[in-house]
């Protein structure tokens, strides 16, 4: 049965996660195919160009298109959760796709949406984990900088909404221009050290995870561009994963917390594969092994790198204007940060060399 099943990757979104998954599938000798975001998609400049089976002409996703895709490729396609927009779509239309040949291994829609929602996840996560504090919520009509404007729903009116970081009054006024205020809420801006808990929670309750400390990030709270593995900053992760499992969740899991004044503040959860996924493959490949096992595939053991030598970097992203250096990154000299970005760039490998420092 497994030899008739293939993983399905949508490239052109969350490209660095897609590359890490390609590397994992190649190392584990698991079959996969790629749907590219057109002829200009960067995936065509990688070693996996031959895995592309379809080039999309536009970003539109419909039930009929997914059914046509699955029917034309044959066998069973195992959907890889790398984009919030398509995750949202396939969960909304799960019943319509049940006989399409597309295997959707995501959890039930209710727990997924509760966890991914910027507002709904706050009550859930603080109920699951007493170690977490919430940033203060600013009353309606009294929003002031510094603050973060967060969407109530991640996907609304056919598009993904993102948090808006407003460090100054000018930032806030710019963010509010043309904004649907009813779709957002405001929280106090927390300064401190950002950490990610990265893991996978299997259907049977087994989990694999590791922590990373974020050194550099793109402006506006966007992608992490430099990170290292680190020790747990103080969260009871065993208790957290056990309680998540009891609530019916299984799947990829990335939690961001900010350590500030000896407290851990909850920021958000991404219940899908995240941009710096290469670090998981390097230091905790069991995260991806459990994902493959949950979809019915056996995988060989993949040896992890020594954590003290591991580092994740995205050089091109780091060199865009407005980047932020987190406290742990400020403890490293600018010269050393540049060296790490060059040596550990996610694209600085033979399979993606054409994208190094330019994508």
């Amino acid at each position: 049965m497994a030899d008739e099943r293939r993983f399905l990757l949508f490239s052109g979104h969350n490209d660095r996660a897609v590359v890490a998954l390609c590397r994992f599938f190649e190392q584990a000798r698991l079959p996969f195919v790629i749907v590219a975001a057109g002829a200009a998609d960067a995936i065509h400049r990688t070693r996996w160009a031959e895995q592309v089976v379809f080039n999309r002409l536009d970003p539109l996703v419909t039930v009929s298109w997914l059914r046509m895709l699955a029917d034309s490729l044959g066998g069973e396609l195992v959907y890889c959760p790398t984009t919030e927009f398509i995750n949202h779509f396939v969960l909304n239309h799960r019943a319509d796709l049940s006989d399409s040949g597309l295997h959707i291994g995501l959890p039930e829609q209710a727990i997924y949406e509760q966890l991914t929602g910027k507002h709904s996840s706050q009550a859930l996560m603080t109920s699951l984990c007493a170690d977490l504090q919430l940033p203060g919520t600013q009353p309606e009509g009294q929003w002031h900088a510094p603050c973060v404007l967060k969407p109530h729903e991640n996907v609304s009116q056919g598009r993904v909404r993102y948090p808006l970081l407003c460090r100054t009054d000018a930032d806030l006024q710019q963010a509010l221009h043309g904004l649907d205020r009813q779709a957002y809420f405001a929280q106090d801006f927390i300064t401190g050290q950002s950490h990610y808990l990265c893991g996978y929670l299997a259907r049977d309750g087994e989990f694999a995870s590791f922590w990373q400390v974020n050194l550099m990030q793109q402006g506006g709270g966007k992608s992490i561009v430099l990170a290292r593995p680190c020790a747990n900053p103080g969260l009871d992760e065993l208790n957290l994963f056990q309680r998540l499992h009891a609530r019916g969740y299984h799947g990829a899991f990335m939690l961001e917390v900010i350590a500030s004044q000896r407290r851990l503040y909850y920021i958000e959860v991404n219940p899908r594969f995240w941009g710096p996924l290469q670090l998981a493959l390097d230091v905790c490949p069991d995260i991806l092994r459990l994902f493959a096992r949950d979809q019915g595939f056996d995988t060989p053991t993949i040896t992890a790198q020594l954590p003290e030598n591991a580092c994740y970097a995205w050089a091109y992203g780091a060199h865009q204007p407005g980047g932020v250096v987190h406290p742990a990154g400020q403890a490293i000299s600018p010269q050393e940060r540049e060296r790490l970005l060059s040596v550990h760039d996610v694209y600085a490998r033979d399979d993606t060399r054409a994208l190094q420092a330019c994508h």
Side-chain angles (χ1 to χ4, degrees):
M1 180 65 177
D3 60 352
E4 299 174 1
R5 307 174 76 234
R6 292 172 289 176
F7 287 99
L8 173 64
L9 279 167
F10 287 90
S11 64
H13 310 275
N14 202 2
D15 287 342
R16 286 154 290 123
V18 169
V19 162
L21 284 165
C22 288
R23 287 172 177 156
F24 168 69
F25 295 147
E26 188 175 77
Q27 290 179 41
R29 299 183 180 178
L30 297 175
F32 69 101
V33 293
I34 301 170
V35 171
D41 192 324
I43 201 71
H44 291 293
R45 292 186 282 156
T46 72
R47 185 157 70 202
W48 309 291
E50 293 184 358
Q51 301 301 124
V52 175
V53 293
F54 194 91
N55 278 299
R56 298 167 68 185
L57 298 179
D58 59 56
L60 185 66
V61 178
T62 66
V63 170
S64 60
W65 180 76
L66 285 172
R67 293 181 71 92
M68 178 277 295
L69 178 69
D71 184 64
S72 65
L73 295 177
E76 186 175 21
L77 300 174
V78 178
Y79 173 69
C80 294
T82 57
T83 83
E84 177 71 357
F85 183 81
I86 300 182
N87 284 5
H88 181 79
F89 183 88
V90 298
L91 284 172
N92 273 340
H93 297 280
R94 195 174 217 159
D96 300 325
L97 294 166
S98 61
D99 63 345
S100 66
L102 182 65
H103 172 75
I104 302 166
L106 293 166
E108 292 301 314
Q109 185 174 12
I111 185 64
Y112 179 93
E113 291 190 347
Q114 189 178 12
L115 199 58
T116 195
K118 299 294 186 289
H119 192 269
S120 59
S121 64
Q122 296 189 81
L124 174 62
M125 290 302 298
T126 51
S127 72
L128 296 177
C129 191
D131 304 320
L132 293 177
Q133 306 285 321
L134 291 178
T137 297
Q138 299 183 1
E140 294 268 352
Q142 300 180 37
W143 296 354
H144 59 273
C147 66
V148 182
L149 306 185
K150 296 183 177 181
H152 287 281
E153 297 180 0
N154 286 1
V155 180
S156 178
Q157 299 177 337
R159 65 187 183 91
V160 178
R161 298 182 187 270
Y162 297 98
L164 303 170
L165 275 60
C166 305
R167 290 182 170 84
T168 66
D169 289 334
D171 292 339
L172 179 58
Q173 292 309 310
Q174 182 177 359
L176 291 176
H177 182 71
L179 187 76
D180 178 5
R181 299 193 187 195
Q182 299 301 313
Y184 287 79
F185 65 102
Q187 287 190 319
D188 295 338
F189 189 97
I190 302 298
T191 58
Q193 177 57 55
S194 169
H195 297 80
Y196 285 172
L197 169 61
C198 307
Y200 187 89
L201 177 59
R203 290 177 180 270
D204 64 3
E206 184 180 353
F207 70 90
S209 64
F210 76 101
W211 284 89
Q212 72 178 48
V213 59
N214 298 321
L215 308 177
M216 296 178 65
Q217 187 170 6
Q218 286 187 301
K222 294 180 180 178
S223 298
I224 294 298
V225 295
L226 189 63
R228 281 175 165 165
C230 68
N232 184 336
L235 198 74
D236 187 347
E237 59 189 270
L238 173 61
N239 178 67
L240 173 59
F241 280 116
Q242 288 177 338
R243 291 190 170 191
L244 274 173
H245 185 254
R247 292 291 186 98
Y249 184 73
H250 58 83
F253 181 86
M254 189 280 286
L255 163 69
E256 182 180 9
V257 300
I258 290 181
S260 178
Q261 298 180 345
R262 299 185 179 180
R263 295 182 177 180
L264 290 179
Y265 286 90
Y266 169 69
I267 303 303
E268 66 178 9
V269 164
N270 286 319
R272 58 193 172 278
F273 288 122
W274 49 93
L277 187 62
Q278 182 62 50
L279 194 56
L281 180 55
D282 290 340
V283 305
C284 189
D286 277 351
I287 287 174
L288 296 171
R289 180 185 63 81
L290 288 178
F291 165 64
R293 193 188 73 181
D294 258 4
Q295 318 313 315
F297 290 88
D298 293 325
T299 63
T301 300
I302 297 176
T303 303
Q305 291 186 12
L306 293 175
E308 60 267 22
N309 295 327
C311 185
Y312 166 81
W314 179 30
Y316 180 78
H319 293 141
Q320 301 310 300
V324 174
V325 181
H326 289 291
Q330 294 170 11
I332 302 171
S333 71
Q335 295 80 8
E336 176 62 7
R337 292 199 300 266
E338 281 301 316
R339 188 192 71 81
L340 293 173
L341 287 168
S342 175
V343 171
H344 296 283
D345 182 16
V346 66
Y347 295 119
R349 305 190 185 195
D350 290 342
D351 48 23
T352 52
R353 191 71 66 182
L355 304 181
Q356 184 178 359
C358 65
H359 183 75

